[in-house]
Amino acid sequence: MGGGFSVHMQVLCGSDCKKVGTDRGVVAIVLAIIIVLVIVIVGYRLLESGYQEAMTYGGSEGGRVKEHGRNALCELFVSTDCGACPSAENTLSQMVDDEPLALVTMVIDKNEDAYRRALDYGIMYTPTAEFDFGYREIVGSRDESTYENAINACLQRNAPNVSVVNGAVKVDKDWINVTATIKNGENETFDGGFIIYIVAVHTEYTNSFGDTVVVPYAFLGYANKSSISLGARDALAINGRWHGSHSEDIAAIIAVHDGKNSITARIIYPK
């Protein structure tokens, strides 16, 4: 009975059965192609977005690219007579290439602006590391994992989607010129500010004992400190200039803040 029923159905359908099957096959193929195209397009958009974000914060102006979405800022307060400071300096400077970190070493006995910045924080001891304008503070020289915890704490907090793009540093004799663009990725107005630090990637000082001390990312001065207000999805071109004697081994660090804490920081090297 079952076999006869099957044959009878085939007779009733005749050639139309094949036609319906063919139409369904075509529809299935078309749907499969559409799904594949959607997956490819979405994947490309995500890949493109990730690439742009990496370039936004790393940059290629100076030949060094940091593959991180956001960078924490560390202002490390040291003095040239401090015995524990070189250890902190070395640990943090080695983390700059591998961690989402921008480092500014404030040598308070050699730079008046660095000393005033220490007073703003109420620094009592060196070395003291202030992450993201004091969001995390570490007193004394510590191991890498301790600094990593501070960096992670900074990056895990909620912060506006604001980025620094198209940065460039040009050296003209004793003048350092910095340009960049700050982009607001939020759907609401961003009110805050930015600071452009000029640093010497490696510089030497003589301490009170007559010893030569090499300091990484030593703060030289400010190229600009300004408040900003960016509308939703808006962008602002910024610039700064610093004048003073320096080595060729310099860089600019642009930190964007919300009025209280640094949101992100970007290291820019000359071309």
Side-chain angles (χ1 to χ4, degrees):
M1 291 292 292
F5 183 77
S6 175
V7 171
H8 181 64
M9 287 297 295
Q10 289 178 5
V11 172
L12 288 176
C13 291
S15 61
D16 287 340
C17 288
K18 293 183 179 180
K19 184 175 184 298
V20 172
T22 302
D23 289 345
R24 288 178 177 175
V26 171
V27 171
I29 292 172
V30 171
L31 287 175
I33 292 173
I34 292 174
I35 292 172
V36 170
L37 288 174
V38 170
I39 293 173
V40 170
I41 292 172
V42 171
Y44 174 78
R45 292 288 177 84
L46 290 173
L47 179 63
E48 183 183 44
S49 174
Y51 171 77
Q52 289 177 343
E53 184 177 30
M55 291 302 295
T56 292
Y57 293 90
S60 59
E61 291 84 1
R64 184 181 300 178
V65 178
K66 292 175 68 70
E67 302 293 343
H68 304 295
R70 279 174 58 198
N71 289 324
L73 173 71
C74 176
E75 294 167 292
L76 176 63
F77 292 87
V78 302
S79 61
T80 58
D81 290 339
C82 166
C85 290
S87 176
E89 295 165 12
N90 292 337
T91 300
L92 284 164
S93 64
Q94 290 173 8
M95 295 174 67
V96 168
D97 288 333
D98 300 323
E99 299 290 336
L101 174 68
L103 174 64
V104 181
T105 306
M106 297 284 190
V107 188
I108 63 175
D109 60 330
K110 298 295 182 179
N111 187 291
E112 291 185 4
D113 285 334
Y115 177 73
R116 284 192 285 268
R117 185 68 168 161
L119 293 179
D120 291 340
Y121 279 116
I123 300 295
M124 300 296 294
Y125 305 97
T126 59
T128 294
E130 298 287 351
F131 289 87
D132 281 2
F133 293 2
Y135 184 76
R136 286 290 186 272
E137 179 184 76
I138 297 176
V139 179
S141 180
R142 298 290 184 264
D143 59 17
E144 186 173 324
S145 63
T146 302
Y147 294 126
E148 284 180 348
N149 290 337
I151 294 170
N152 291 334
C154 291
L155 300 183
Q156 288 170 3
R157 77 180 194 276
N158 292 328
N161 178 21
V162 179
S163 58
V164 179
V165 300
N166 302 327
V169 175
K170 294 182 179 180
V171 180
D172 182 12
K173 296 182 179 179
D174 289 340
W175 284 99
I176 307 297
N177 301 288
V178 184
T179 58
T181 299
I182 299 176
K183 295 181 67 176
N184 179 15
E186 299 288 345
N187 292 320
E188 59 185 15
T189 299
F190 169 76
D191 292 312
F194 67 92
I195 298 177
I196 303 178
Y197 304 84
I198 303 299
V199 300
V201 180
H202 295 94
T203 192
E204 294 183 352
Y205 295 104
T206 301
N207 64 16
S208 62
F209 304 109
D211 300 324
T212 299
V213 180
V214 179
V215 178
Y217 296 96
F219 171 71
L220 300 178
Y222 300 109
N224 197 345
K225 297 171 66 177
S226 298
S227 299
I228 57 173
S229 181
L230 287 175
R233 301 288 174 176
D234 202 359
L236 175 69
I238 64 171
N239 61 77
R241 300 188 77 193
W242 180 81
H243 181 268
S245 59
H246 59 86
S247 67
E248 293 299 319
D249 196 15
I250 59 97
I253 295 176
I254 302 177
V256 181
H257 61 84
D258 59 9
K260 181 180 180 181
N261 296 113
S262 176
I263 296 171
T264 190
R266 181 180 178 185
I267 305 175
I268 307 171
Y269 301 88
K271 289 184 179 180

mmCIF file of all heavy atoms in Angstrom, residues 83-128:
data_model
loop_
_atom_site.group_PDB
_atom_site.id
_atom_site.type_symbol
_atom_site.label_atom_id
_atom_site.label_comp_id
_atom_site.label_asym_id
_atom_site.label_seq_id
_atom_site.Cartn_x
_atom_site.Cartn_y
_atom_site.Cartn_z
ATOM 1 N N GLY A 83 67.176 56.789 44.776
ATOM 2 C CA GLY A 83 67.763 55.488 44.514
ATOM 3 C C GLY A 83 66.789 54.481 43.939
ATOM 4 O O GLY A 83 67.179 53.586 43.174
ATOM 5 N N ALA A 84 65.510 54.598 44.287
ATOM 6 C CA ALA A 84 64.510 53.641 43.823
ATOM 7 C C ALA A 84 63.893 54.029 42.482
ATOM 8 O O ALA A 84 63.210 53.215 41.856
ATOM 9 C CB ALA A 84 63.400 53.496 44.870
ATOM 10 N N CYS A 85 64.138 55.258 42.045
ATOM 11 C CA CYS A 85 63.477 55.760 40.828
ATOM 12 C C CYS A 85 63.900 55.029 39.555
ATOM 13 O O CYS A 85 63.049 54.730 38.708
ATOM 14 C CB CYS A 85 63.712 57.256 40.686
ATOM 15 S SG CYS A 85 62.810 58.239 41.920
ATOM 16 N N PRO A 86 65.198 54.740 39.336
ATOM 17 C CA PRO A 86 65.579 54.059 38.093
ATOM 18 C C PRO A 86 64.846 52.740 37.856
ATOM 19 O O PRO A 86 64.518 52.409 36.711
ATOM 20 C CB PRO A 86 67.084 53.844 38.265
ATOM 21 C CG PRO A 86 67.521 54.962 39.150
ATOM 22 C CD PRO A 86 66.394 55.128 40.123
ATOM 23 N N SER A 87 64.567 52.008 38.912
ATOM 24 C CA SER A 87 63.855 50.742 38.756
ATOM 25 C C SER A 87 62.445 50.976 38.220
ATOM 26 O O SER A 87 61.987 50.278 37.299
ATOM 27 C CB SER A 87 63.792 50.007 40.097
ATOM 28 O OG SER A 87 63.026 48.825 39.982
ATOM 29 N N ALA A 88 61.736 51.951 38.780
ATOM 30 C CA ALA A 88 60.389 52.274 38.311
ATOM 31 C C ALA A 88 60.430 52.789 36.883
ATOM 32 O O ALA A 88 59.585 52.442 36.050
ATOM 33 C CB ALA A 88 59.749 53.304 39.240
ATOM 34 N N GLU A 89 61.415 53.632 36.584
ATOM 35 C CA GLU A 89 61.554 54.187 35.236
ATOM 36 C C GLU A 89 61.771 53.077 34.213
ATOM 37 O O GLU A 89 61.140 53.058 33.150
ATOM 38 C CB GLU A 89 62.727 55.168 35.192
ATOM 39 C CG GLU A 89 62.537 56.409 36.044
ATOM 40 C CD GLU A 89 63.843 57.155 36.254
ATOM 41 O OE1 GLU A 89 64.842 56.842 35.559
ATOM 42 O OE2 GLU A 89 63.892 58.055 37.115
ATOM 43 N N ASN A 90 62.669 52.158 34.519
ATOM 44 C CA ASN A 90 62.978 51.072 33.588
ATOM 45 C C ASN A 90 61.785 50.158 33.364
ATOM 46 O O ASN A 90 61.478 49.764 32.231
ATOM 47 C CB ASN A 90 64.171 50.263 34.103
ATOM 48 C CG ASN A 90 65.468 51.039 34.079
ATOM 49 O OD1 ASN A 90 65.616 51.998 33.315
ATOM 50 N ND2 ASN A 90 66.420 50.657 34.920
ATOM 51 N N THR A 91 61.112 49.810 34.444
ATOM 52 C CA THR A 91 59.959 48.910 34.324
ATOM 53 C C THR A 91 58.865 49.527 33.462
ATOM 54 O O THR A 91 58.349 48.890 32.532
ATOM 55 C CB THR A 91 59.386 48.570 35.708
ATOM 56 O OG1 THR A 91 60.399 47.916 36.491
ATOM 57 C CG2 THR A 91 58.177 47.657 35.590
ATOM 58 N N LEU A 92 58.517 50.765 33.747
ATOM 59 C CA LEU A 92 57.426 51.415 33.008
ATOM 60 C C LEU A 92 57.811 51.719 31.565
ATOM 61 O O LEU A 92 56.996 51.573 30.649
ATOM 62 C CB LEU A 92 57.004 52.685 33.729
ATOM 63 C CG LEU A 92 56.160 52.451 34.989
ATOM 64 C CD1 LEU A 92 56.111 53.696 35.861
ATOM 65 C CD2 LEU A 92 54.745 52.012 34.613
ATOM 66 N N SER A 93 59.061 52.145 31.344
ATOM 67 C CA SER A 93 59.470 52.461 29.971
ATOM 68 C C SER A 93 59.483 51.218 29.094
ATOM 69 O O SER A 93 59.176 51.286 27.896
ATOM 70 C CB SER A 93 60.848 53.135 29.962
ATOM 71 O OG SER A 93 61.849 52.259 30.439
ATOM 72 N N GLN A 94 59.817 50.067 29.662
ATOM 73 C CA GLN A 94 59.800 48.825 28.899
ATOM 74 C C GLN A 94 58.374 48.380 28.587
ATOM 75 O O GLN A 94 58.139 47.652 27.618
ATOM 76 C CB GLN A 94 60.533 47.730 29.664
ATOM 77 C CG GLN A 94 62.040 47.942 29.739
ATOM 78 C CD GLN A 94 62.741 46.946 30.643
ATOM 79 O OE1 GLN A 94 62.133 45.990 31.124
ATOM 80 N NE2 GLN A 94 64.027 47.165 30.889
ATOM 81 N N MET A 95 57.409 48.828 29.401
ATOM 82 C CA MET A 95 56.013 48.463 29.180
ATOM 83 C C MET A 95 55.363 49.303 28.089
ATOM 84 O O MET A 95 54.307 48.924 27.565
ATOM 85 C CB MET A 95 55.229 48.609 30.486
ATOM 86 C CG MET A 95 55.672 47.647 31.577
ATOM 87 S SD MET A 95 54.844 47.964 33.163
ATOM 88 C CE MET A 95 53.156 47.521 32.766
ATOM 89 N N VAL A 96 55.969 50.420 27.724
ATOM 90 C CA VAL A 96 55.359 51.327 26.743
ATOM 91 C C VAL A 96 55.135 50.627 25.405
ATOM 92 O O VAL A 96 54.100 50.812 24.756
ATOM 93 C CB VAL A 96 56.223 52.593 26.563
ATOM 94 C CG1 VAL A 96 55.766 53.394 25.354
ATOM 95 C CG2 VAL A 96 56.157 53.453 27.816
ATOM 96 N N ASP A 97 56.094 49.828 24.960
ATOM 97 C CA ASP A 97 55.976 49.168 23.663
ATOM 98 C C ASP A 97 54.954 48.034 23.658
ATOM 99 O O ASP A 97 54.367 47.738 22.615
ATOM 100 C CB ASP A 97 57.335 48.614 23.222
ATOM 101 C CG ASP A 97 58.294 49.717 22.806
ATOM 102 O OD1 ASP A 97 57.818 50.778 22.378
ATOM 103 O OD2 ASP A 97 59.517 49.509 22.932
ATOM 104 N N ASP A 98 54.749 47.402 24.794
ATOM 105 C CA ASP A 98 53.913 46.200 24.836
ATOM 106 C C ASP A 98 52.558 46.391 25.503
ATOM 107 O O ASP A 98 51.665 45.565 25.326
ATOM 108 C CB ASP A 98 54.660 45.076 25.570
ATOM 109 C CG ASP A 98 55.972 44.719 24.890
ATOM 110 O OD1 ASP A 98 56.007 44.740 23.650
ATOM 111 O OD2 ASP A 98 56.953 44.439 25.605
ATOM 112 N N GLU A 99 52.411 47.435 26.262
ATOM 113 C CA GLU A 99 51.171 47.665 26.997
ATOM 114 C C GLU A 99 50.464 48.924 26.469
ATOM 115 O O GLU A 99 51.088 49.787 25.853
ATOM 116 C CB GLU A 99 51.463 47.843 28.492
ATOM 117 C CG GLU A 99 52.109 46.642 29.161
ATOM 118 C CD GLU A 99 51.159 45.478 29.297
ATOM 119 O OE1 GLU A 99 49.933 45.698 29.303
ATOM 120 O OE2 GLU A 99 51.643 44.335 29.404
ATOM 121 N N PRO A 100 49.156 49.037 26.719
ATOM 122 C CA PRO A 100 48.424 50.253 26.332
ATOM 123 C C PRO A 100 48.760 51.394 27.287
ATOM 124 O O PRO A 100 47.960 51.777 28.141
ATOM 125 C CB PRO A 100 46.955 49.825 26.431
ATOM 126 C CG PRO A 100 46.959 48.730 27.445
ATOM 127 C CD PRO A 100 48.265 48.007 27.285
ATOM 128 N N LEU A 101 49.958 51.940 27.134
ATOM 129 C CA LEU A 101 50.493 52.894 28.100
ATOM 130 C C LEU A 101 51.247 54.010 27.407
ATOM 131 O O LEU A 101 52.025 53.769 26.484
ATOM 132 C CB LEU A 101 51.437 52.168 29.071
ATOM 133 C CG LEU A 101 52.198 53.042 30.081
ATOM 134 C CD1 LEU A 101 51.230 53.641 31.102
ATOM 135 C CD2 LEU A 101 53.284 52.221 30.771
ATOM 136 N N ALA A 102 51.014 55.236 27.869
ATOM 137 C CA ALA A 102 51.822 56.398 27.482
ATOM 138 C C ALA A 102 52.475 56.926 28.753
ATOM 139 O O ALA A 102 51.801 57.146 29.761
ATOM 140 C CB ALA A 102 50.956 57.471 26.834
ATOM 141 N N LEU A 103 53.788 57.127 28.708
ATOM 142 C CA LEU A 103 54.554 57.469 29.904
ATOM 143 C C LEU A 103 55.153 58.869 29.795
ATOM 144 O O LEU A 103 55.753 59.227 28.780
ATOM 145 C CB LEU A 103 55.682 56.450 30.105
ATOM 146 C CG LEU A 103 56.687 56.724 31.233
ATOM 147 C CD1 LEU A 103 55.996 56.684 32.594
ATOM 148 C CD2 LEU A 103 57.829 55.707 31.176
ATOM 149 N N VAL A 104 54.959 59.648 30.863
ATOM 150 C CA VAL A 104 55.611 60.952 31.006
ATOM 151 C C VAL A 104 56.358 60.933 32.340
ATOM 152 O O VAL A 104 55.735 60.818 33.396
ATOM 153 C CB VAL A 104 54.597 62.115 31.000
ATOM 154 C CG1 VAL A 104 55.330 63.449 31.122
ATOM 155 C CG2 VAL A 104 53.761 62.089 29.733
ATOM 156 N N THR A 105 57.684 61.006 32.287
ATOM 157 C CA THR A 105 58.481 60.983 33.515
ATOM 158 C C THR A 105 58.760 62.410 33.964
ATOM 159 O O THR A 105 59.454 63.166 33.274
ATOM 160 C CB THR A 105 59.808 60.237 33.296
ATOM 161 O OG1 THR A 105 59.527 58.929 32.773
ATOM 162 C CG2 THR A 105 60.560 60.088 34.607
ATOM 163 N N MET A 106 58.199 62.780 35.101
ATOM 164 C CA MET A 106 58.332 64.129 35.646
ATOM 165 C C MET A 106 59.532 64.189 36.589
ATOM 166 O O MET A 106 59.468 63.696 37.720
ATOM 167 C CB MET A 106 57.054 64.512 36.398
ATOM 168 C CG MET A 106 55.814 64.572 35.524
ATOM 169 S SD MET A 106 55.843 66.079 34.531
ATOM 170 C CE MET A 106 54.187 66.073 33.843
ATOM 171 N N VAL A 107 60.632 64.775 36.122
ATOM 172 C CA VAL A 107 61.854 64.888 36.933
ATOM 173 C C VAL A 107 61.752 66.183 37.734
ATOM 174 O O VAL A 107 62.059 67.262 37.248
ATOM 175 C CB VAL A 107 63.109 64.874 36.051
ATOM 176 C CG1 VAL A 107 64.365 64.785 36.909
ATOM 177 C CG2 VAL A 107 63.064 63.709 35.065
ATOM 178 N N ILE A 108 61.305 66.059 38.971
ATOM 179 C CA ILE A 108 60.887 67.245 39.717
ATOM 180 C C ILE A 108 62.042 68.134 40.169
ATOM 181 O O ILE A 108 61.831 69.317 40.459
ATOM 182 C CB ILE A 108 60.021 66.847 40.937
ATOM 183 C CG1 ILE A 108 60.839 65.997 41.918
ATOM 184 C CG2 ILE A 108 58.775 66.097 40.476
ATOM 185 C CD1 ILE A 108 60.092 65.674 43.202
ATOM 186 N N ASP A 109 63.274 67.592 40.224
ATOM 187 C CA ASP A 109 64.404 68.431 40.636
ATOM 188 C C ASP A 109 65.128 69.051 39.442
ATOM 189 O O ASP A 109 66.126 69.754 39.621
ATOM 190 C CB ASP A 109 65.393 67.640 41.498
ATOM 191 C CG ASP A 109 65.971 66.436 40.775
ATOM 192 O OD1 ASP A 109 65.272 65.872 39.906
ATOM 193 O OD2 ASP A 109 67.118 66.047 41.080
ATOM 194 N N LYS A 110 64.609 68.822 38.229
ATOM 195 C CA LYS A 110 65.236 69.380 37.031
ATOM 196 C C LYS A 110 64.281 70.210 36.171
ATOM 197 O O LYS A 110 64.725 70.900 35.252
ATOM 198 C CB LYS A 110 65.819 68.252 36.158
ATOM 199 C CG LYS A 110 66.925 67.437 36.827
ATOM 200 C CD LYS A 110 68.145 68.299 37.099
ATOM 201 C CE LYS A 110 69.269 67.491 37.720
ATOM 202 N NZ LYS A 110 70.478 68.312 37.984
ATOM 203 N N ASN A 111 62.995 70.138 36.463
ATOM 204 C CA ASN A 111 62.011 70.822 35.631
ATOM 205 C C ASN A 111 60.968 71.497 36.519
ATOM 206 O O ASN A 111 60.304 70.825 37.318
ATOM 207 C CB ASN A 111 61.348 69.812 34.684
ATOM 208 C CG ASN A 111 60.429 70.457 33.671
ATOM 209 O OD1 ASN A 111 59.381 70.977 34.021
ATOM 210 N ND2 ASN A 111 60.821 70.395 32.399
ATOM 211 N N GLU A 112 60.824 72.813 36.376
ATOM 212 C CA GLU A 112 59.909 73.561 37.247
ATOM 213 C C GLU A 112 58.459 73.175 37.019
ATOM 214 O O GLU A 112 57.668 73.086 37.976
ATOM 215 C CB GLU A 112 60.099 75.065 37.022
ATOM 216 C CG GLU A 112 61.436 75.602 37.509
ATOM 217 C CD GLU A 112 61.528 77.109 37.364
ATOM 218 O OE1 GLU A 112 60.528 77.738 36.963
ATOM 219 O OE2 GLU A 112 62.607 77.654 37.648
ATOM 220 N N ASP A 113 58.081 72.946 35.752
ATOM 221 C CA ASP A 113 56.698 72.536 35.479
ATOM 222 C C ASP A 113 56.402 71.162 36.076
ATOM 223 O O ASP A 113 55.295 70.906 36.556
ATOM 224 C CB ASP A 113 56.436 72.520 33.976
ATOM 225 C CG ASP A 113 56.286 73.919 33.390
ATOM 226 O OD1 ASP A 113 55.896 74.835 34.151
ATOM 227 O OD2 ASP A 113 56.558 74.095 32.189
ATOM 228 N N ALA A 114 57.390 70.288 36.054
ATOM 229 C CA ALA A 114 57.221 68.970 36.671
ATOM 230 C C ALA A 114 57.045 69.104 38.178
ATOM 231 O O ALA A 114 56.226 68.404 38.794
ATOM 232 C CB ALA A 114 58.421 68.080 36.344
ATOM 233 N N TYR A 115 57.816 69.999 38.764
ATOM 234 C CA TYR A 115 57.715 70.232 40.213
ATOM 235 C C TYR A 115 56.335 70.780 40.573
ATOM 236 O O TYR A 115 55.710 70.335 41.545
ATOM 237 C CB TYR A 115 58.800 71.205 40.652
ATOM 238 C CG TYR A 115 58.746 71.569 42.120
ATOM 239 C CD1 TYR A 115 59.126 70.652 43.093
ATOM 240 C CD2 TYR A 115 58.290 72.821 42.532
ATOM 241 C CE1 TYR A 115 59.066 70.969 44.445
ATOM 242 C CE2 TYR A 115 58.227 73.151 43.869
ATOM 243 C CZ TYR A 115 58.613 72.227 44.826
ATOM 244 O OH TYR A 115 58.541 72.551 46.154
ATOM 245 N N ARG A 116 55.840 71.721 39.761
ATOM 246 C CA ARG A 116 54.506 72.277 40.029
ATOM 247 C C ARG A 116 53.416 71.222 39.853
ATOM 248 O O ARG A 116 52.415 71.212 40.586
ATOM 249 C CB ARG A 116 54.254 73.477 39.117
ATOM 250 C CG ARG A 116 54.987 74.739 39.554
ATOM 251 C CD ARG A 116 54.472 75.950 38.801
ATOM 252 N NE ARG A 116 54.965 75.962 37.433
ATOM 253 C CZ ARG A 116 56.076 76.578 37.058
ATOM 254 N NH1 ARG A 116 56.809 77.222 37.951
ATOM 255 N NH2 ARG A 116 56.460 76.560 35.795
ATOM 256 N N ARG A 117 53.620 70.341 38.884
ATOM 257 C CA ARG A 117 52.647 69.267 38.684
ATOM 258 C C ARG A 117 52.631 68.337 39.900
ATOM 259 O O ARG A 117 51.568 67.861 40.323
ATOM 260 C CB ARG A 117 53.003 68.477 37.421
ATOM 261 C CG ARG A 117 52.011 67.395 37.030
ATOM 262 C CD ARG A 117 50.694 67.967 36.572
ATOM 263 N NE ARG A 117 49.863 66.951 35.932
ATOM 264 C CZ ARG A 117 48.558 67.065 35.775
ATOM 265 N NH1 ARG A 117 47.926 68.153 36.183
ATOM 266 N NH2 ARG A 117 47.864 66.101 35.175
ATOM 267 N N ALA A 118 53.785 68.096 40.476
ATOM 268 C CA ALA A 118 53.867 67.279 41.690
ATOM 269 C C ALA A 118 53.115 67.936 42.838
ATOM 270 O O ALA A 118 52.442 67.261 43.627
ATOM 271 C CB ALA A 118 55.324 67.044 42.063
ATOM 272 N N LEU A 119 53.223 69.256 42.935
ATOM 273 C CA LEU A 119 52.489 69.977 43.978
ATOM 274 C C LEU A 119 50.984 69.854 43.766
ATOM 275 O O LEU A 119 50.217 69.743 44.738
ATOM 276 C CB LEU A 119 52.904 71.453 43.984
ATOM 277 C CG LEU A 119 54.348 71.757 44.404
ATOM 278 C CD1 LEU A 119 54.606 73.261 44.330
ATOM 279 C CD2 LEU A 119 54.631 71.245 45.810
ATOM 280 N N ASP A 120 50.551 69.878 42.511
ATOM 281 C CA ASP A 120 49.119 69.722 42.212
ATOM 282 C C ASP A 120 48.589 68.388 42.745
ATOM 283 O O ASP A 120 47.465 68.311 43.250
ATOM 284 C CB ASP A 120 48.878 69.799 40.703
ATOM 285 C CG ASP A 120 49.124 71.191 40.131
ATOM 286 O OD1 ASP A 120 49.115 72.163 40.912
ATOM 287 O OD2 ASP A 120 49.334 71.292 38.902
ATOM 288 N N TYR A 121 49.387 67.358 42.628
ATOM 289 C CA TYR A 121 48.987 66.028 43.100
ATOM 290 C C TYR A 121 49.218 65.853 44.597
ATOM 291 O O TYR A 121 48.671 64.925 45.197
ATOM 292 C CB TYR A 121 49.785 64.946 42.371
ATOM 293 C CG TYR A 121 49.274 64.580 40.995
ATOM 294 C CD1 TYR A 121 50.039 64.813 39.862
ATOM 295 C CD2 TYR A 121 48.036 63.966 40.827
ATOM 296 C CE1 TYR A 121 49.589 64.453 38.600
ATOM 297 C CE2 TYR A 121 47.570 63.604 39.569
ATOM 298 C CZ TYR A 121 48.354 63.847 38.466
ATOM 299 O OH TYR A 121 47.902 63.492 37.217
ATOM 300 N N GLY A 122 50.045 66.702 45.174
ATOM 301 C CA GLY A 122 50.411 66.513 46.569
ATOM 302 C C GLY A 122 51.423 65.402 46.752
ATOM 303 O O GLY A 122 51.395 64.681 47.772
ATOM 304 N N ILE A 123 52.309 65.255 45.777
ATOM 305 C CA ILE A 123 53.310 64.188 45.820
ATOM 306 C C ILE A 123 54.248 64.404 47.007
ATOM 307 O O ILE A 123 54.808 65.484 47.196
ATOM 308 C CB ILE A 123 54.130 64.142 44.512
ATOM 309 C CG1 ILE A 123 53.218 63.894 43.305
ATOM 310 C CG2 ILE A 123 55.226 63.087 44.597
ATOM 311 C CD1 ILE A 123 52.541 62.561 43.296
ATOM 312 N N MET A 124 54.434 63.358 47.807
ATOM 313 C CA MET A 124 55.302 63.428 48.978
ATOM 314 C C MET A 124 56.577 62.602 48.808
ATOM 315 O O MET A 124 57.586 62.886 49.458
ATOM 316 C CB MET A 124 54.543 62.921 50.211
ATOM 317 C CG MET A 124 53.286 63.731 50.530
ATOM 318 S SD MET A 124 53.662 65.450 50.968
ATOM 319 C CE MET A 124 54.544 65.198 52.519
ATOM 320 N N TYR A 125 56.518 61.583 47.950
ATOM 321 C CA TYR A 125 57.660 60.685 47.800
ATOM 322 C C TYR A 125 57.916 60.414 46.323
ATOM 323 O O TYR A 125 57.008 60.488 45.486
ATOM 324 C CB TYR A 125 57.409 59.350 48.522
ATOM 325 C CG TYR A 125 57.065 59.486 49.977
ATOM 326 C CD1 TYR A 125 55.736 59.461 50.397
ATOM 327 C CD2 TYR A 125 58.062 59.631 50.938
ATOM 328 C CE1 TYR A 125 55.408 59.585 51.739
ATOM 329 C CE2 TYR A 125 57.747 59.753 52.284
ATOM 330 C CZ TYR A 125 56.422 59.736 52.673
ATOM 331 O OH TYR A 125 56.096 59.869 54.006
ATOM 332 N N THR A 126 59.177 60.089 46.012
ATOM 333 C CA THR A 126 59.514 59.612 44.677
ATOM 334 C C THR A 126 60.126 58.221 44.801
ATOM 335 O O THR A 126 60.839 57.960 45.788
ATOM 336 C CB THR A 126 60.527 60.554 43.973
ATOM 337 O OG1 THR A 126 61.721 60.656 44.760
ATOM 338 C CG2 THR A 126 59.930 61.934 43.752
ATOM 339 N N PRO A 127 59.818 57.317 43.883
ATOM 340 C CA PRO A 127 58.927 57.537 42.739
ATOM 341 C C PRO A 127 57.454 57.388 43.115
ATOM 342 O O PRO A 127 57.110 56.576 43.981
ATOM 343 C CB PRO A 127 59.342 56.438 41.769
ATOM 344 C CG PRO A 127 59.775 55.305 42.664
ATOM 345 C CD PRO A 127 60.442 55.965 43.836
ATOM 346 N N THR A 128 56.612 58.164 42.455
ATOM 347 C CA THR A 128 55.159 58.020 42.568
ATOM 348 C C THR A 128 54.580 58.046 41.163
ATOM 349 O O THR A 128 54.884 58.956 40.386
ATOM 350 C CB THR A 128 54.535 59.130 43.411
ATOM 351 O OG1 THR A 128 54.973 59.012 44.769
ATOM 352 C CG2 THR A 128 53.014 59.043 43.373
#
